[in-house]
Amino acid sequence: MAEKLDVYRHYSCEDDYADLDMGAACERLAHALACKTVYTTPKDTDFSEFERLQAHLKQSFPRIMAAGTFELVGHSVLITVPGTEPALDAVQLIAHQDVVPVVPGTEDQWEHDAFAGHIDDEWVWGRGALDIKDMLMAELEATEYLLARGEKPRRTIYLAFGEDEEVTSKGATALAAEMARRGMRSAFLVDEGTTTMFDGAAYGAPGAVVSDICLSQKGYLNLRLTARGQGGHSSNPFGGTSLERLCRAVALLAENKPAPTLTPLVAGTFKELAPQISEEPFASLVADVDANAQEIADAAAQVRELYPFVCTTVAVDQVIGSSAAANVMPGDVSAVVNFRLLPGVHAMDVQHEVADLLAGLGIEVTIDHSTPAGRMDTVEGAGYAELKEALEHFHPGVTWVPSFVCGGTDSVRYEDVCGSIMRVCPFRPAPEEEARGVHGVNERISRRTYAQGIRVLIRLLERTAFSELF
């Protein structure tokens, strides 16, 4: 069994900002976690819990409220702290207010009620402690701290907190649209992304401690494959049943998945890690990543951890409409196939490719739902160097690499009003804490991890929003 990664070995400079009152900050986070901001549908959501959270924010950060404006767009929050040079593009920090519900039947497995806002000497417990009220509150804590020192930001700071990221991201969409309408623009944006450090063994760099700053995200596409049928008695299935044709279509799709591709971002991952890669096949291939791009992609596709970073993935997750009786042919049947699209891949192109592949089987191919992949920003983009420096300052011995998020975030909604978009949580919990706690049972964050994340954000703001050099 691999040795657990001791993340605290990579914590440093914890005496920075010694006047930061972390006890009070943890109490404020606990209070936020006690607000049961679970978004379901506009009709069924208890928005009083969102109002409770918003009242807590107003009360907890008086200097932000005095210096800036607090607005609601629907039930989403937009806070503007004006800079002394309003002509400059702003700095934007985002998060989301909503959290996922507790999985029914797991309530008794929680050591503390998920919405009690429990806090002890080591941990702050509750749903949202890692996803993502820690980030929401830390962004405010960092801004409040710098304002409390009597400093005024040179660049305007936008803090945008959507209401439904876990469901539809309509809140972030509305926030971005309102910002566009007003002509508000940011030099860069920081949103949630990866949180853990991990061993680089999957990349052929065992022993290297790695984490990533994500500059894009995969797209989301649900395709529905439908086979029409008349039903009837199964004693004469002349021509095959609708379910048979659907199964043939699914099998054909499974046999013709998209080929591996090395995007510029994952090429950047290998280039950054190249000096530490010692195991084949990557050790030889990274001598010239660009020339060996296809070979690297093909090899990475054989590694479970790397597979989603080089492939548009295809998951057949639902079959609907089969017959309730073994002797009755089904009528119309369908399968829903979930694709996670590599950056640069578009939903309509995938739909057309699948329709061409299945031509002749009598299968209708329609889009149920899609969210585009994020654009691919670069390490030369605004804020990347400053964010990387802040992370390196507080987490020495970690190799920070460019990458993309395999899931979805609100940040893709802000592309029209923002320069560089970076997806990374400033918190570095142990990998097992993230794996167990995000959307799981006993979600919690250590006081130490929370404090270090706030320090990262303070340093980032110091060197961007409050700096004459950025």
Side-chain angles (χ1 to χ4, degrees):
M1 181 179 295
E3 183 180 348
K4 286 186 178 180
L5 178 62
D6 180 4
V7 295
Y8 292 136
R9 288 182 55 198
H10 300 280
Y11 278 39
S12 183
C13 302
E14 293 180 82
D15 292 332
D16 285 10
Y17 315 118
D19 56 339
L20 182 63
D21 188 347
M22 274 311 305
C26 288
E27 292 286 353
R28 287 187 285 268
L29 174 60
H31 189 125
L33 298 179
C35 301
K36 194 175 182 179
T37 51
V38 175
Y39 191 102
T40 52
T41 67
K43 178 181 178 181
D44 296 328
T45 298
D46 182 0
F47 287 111
S48 68
E49 293 291 328
F50 287 79
E51 293 164 2
R52 184 178 161 212
L53 173 62
Q54 292 155 13
H56 173 53
L57 303 185
K58 292 178 182 178
Q59 181 179 3
S60 297
F61 303 105
R63 292 173 184 83
I64 292 175
M65 300 307 147
T69 58
F70 182 105
E71 304 174 77
L72 292 179
V73 178
H75 296 279
S76 295
V77 172
L78 177 61
I79 299 172
T80 303
V81 180
T84 58
E85 299 186 37
L88 295 174
D89 283 350
V91 168
Q92 186 166 350
L93 305 176
I94 75 170
H96 56 87
Q97 303 169 76
D98 60 314
V99 298
V100 297
V102 172
V103 176
T106 67
E107 295 87 352
D108 292 342
Q109 299 174 30
W110 286 72
E111 292 185 39
H112 307 282
D113 184 275
F115 296 102
H118 181 82
I119 184 170
D120 58 32
D121 290 341
E122 185 177 4
W123 304 96
V124 185
W125 300 73
R127 177 62 85 221
L130 293 174
D131 186 11
I132 189 79
K133 283 182 180 172
D134 54 345
M135 190 156 179
L136 185 156
M137 295 299 289
E139 291 170 348
L140 292 164
E141 293 285 355
T143 306
E144 181 81 3
Y145 174 83
L146 290 168
L147 293 175
R149 297 199 312 195
E151 301 181 27
K152 293 184 179 180
R154 180 173 174 241
R155 293 176 183 267
T156 295
I157 301 171
Y158 299 137
L159 298 133
F161 307 135
E163 65 200 66
D164 62 339
E165 188 271 350
E166 300 288 2
V167 183
T168 60
S169 284
K170 289 182 178 178
T173 302
L175 284 168
E178 180 62 20
M179 294 178 71
R181 187 185 69 80
R182 298 185 194 180
M184 301 164 72
R185 183 163 182 84
S186 304
F188 70 83
L189 174 155
V190 177
D191 188 16
E192 65 176 314
T194 54
T195 63
T196 60
M197 305 167 188
F198 56 91
D199 186 277
Y203 293 89
V209 179
V210 186
S211 197
D212 38 23
I213 301 172
C214 295
L215 297 172
S216 188
Q217 65 187 55
K218 295 188 87 169
Y220 184 101
L221 169 64
N222 285 339
L223 280 187
R224 182 176 292 268
L225 314 181
T226 300
R228 302 294 178 186
Q230 297 299 317
H233 199 282
S234 63
S235 61
N236 187 8
F238 182 78
T241 69
S242 56
L243 183 57
E244 178 185 333
R245 287 187 288 114
L246 181 65
C247 289
R248 290 170 60 198
V250 168
L252 189 59
L253 183 59
E255 293 165 2
N256 291 273
K257 294 177 180 177
T261 301
L262 196 70
T263 63
L265 288 175
V266 178
T269 303
F270 278 97
K271 289 176 182 179
E272 191 72 32
L273 278 175
Q276 301 177 76
I277 294 177
S278 59
E279 294 187 347
E280 299 294 354
F282 298 124
S284 298
L285 294 173
V286 296
D288 191 335
V289 172
D290 294 330
N292 298 323
Q294 190 58 56
E295 292 94 329
I296 292 172
D298 291 340
Q302 305 307 310
V303 181
R304 181 181 181 88
E305 295 89 342
L306 304 187
Y307 171 70
F309 291 96
V310 294
C311 291
T312 287
T313 57
V314 183
V316 182
D317 293 332
Q318 291 180 302
V319 175
I320 302 131
S322 63
S323 176
N327 62 343
V328 177
M329 292 187 293
D332 296 345
V333 293
S334 61
V336 178
V337 185
N338 179 243
F339 295 77
R340 300 300 176 104
L341 312 175
L342 284 176
V345 176
H346 302 283
M348 291 290 290
D349 292 339
V350 173
Q351 180 192 20
H352 293 153
E353 290 167 6
V354 171
D356 289 345
L357 175 68
L358 304 182
L361 293 180
I363 302 294
E364 299 171 12
V365 181
T366 55
I367 294 177
D368 267 8
H369 174 74
S370 69
T371 300
R375 71 178 185 220
M376 284 185 278
D377 290 331
T378 72
V379 297
E380 286 80 28
Y384 185 89
E386 291 76 12
L387 177 58
K388 185 170 181 279
E389 188 278 335
L391 290 163
E392 289 173 336
H393 178 77
F394 290 107
H395 298 290
V398 177
T399 300
W400 298 90
V401 300
S403 188
F404 56 75
V405 177
C406 288
T409 73
D410 273 343
S411 58
V412 70
R413 314 292 175 176
Y414 293 92
E415 289 186 350
D416 290 341
V417 295
C418 186
S420 179
I421 295 178
M422 297 171 288
R423 302 159 178 86
V424 59
C425 294
F427 316 100
R428 301 289 110 185
E432 62 270 17
E433 283 294 326
E434 184 198 45
R436 178 186 52 76
V438 174
H439 293 195
V441 171
N442 287 324
E443 187 175 352
R444 63 185 183 176
I445 189 170
S446 75
R447 288 171 172 260
R448 192 174 174 186
T449 296
Y450 185 51
Q452 199 72 332
I454 294 174
R455 294 184 190 105
V456 169
L457 290 171
I458 292 173
R459 190 174 179 91
L460 173 65
L461 288 176
E462 279 183 321
R463 284 155 176 73
T464 55
F466 288 79
S467 175
E468 294 292 329
L469 301 177
F470 179 77

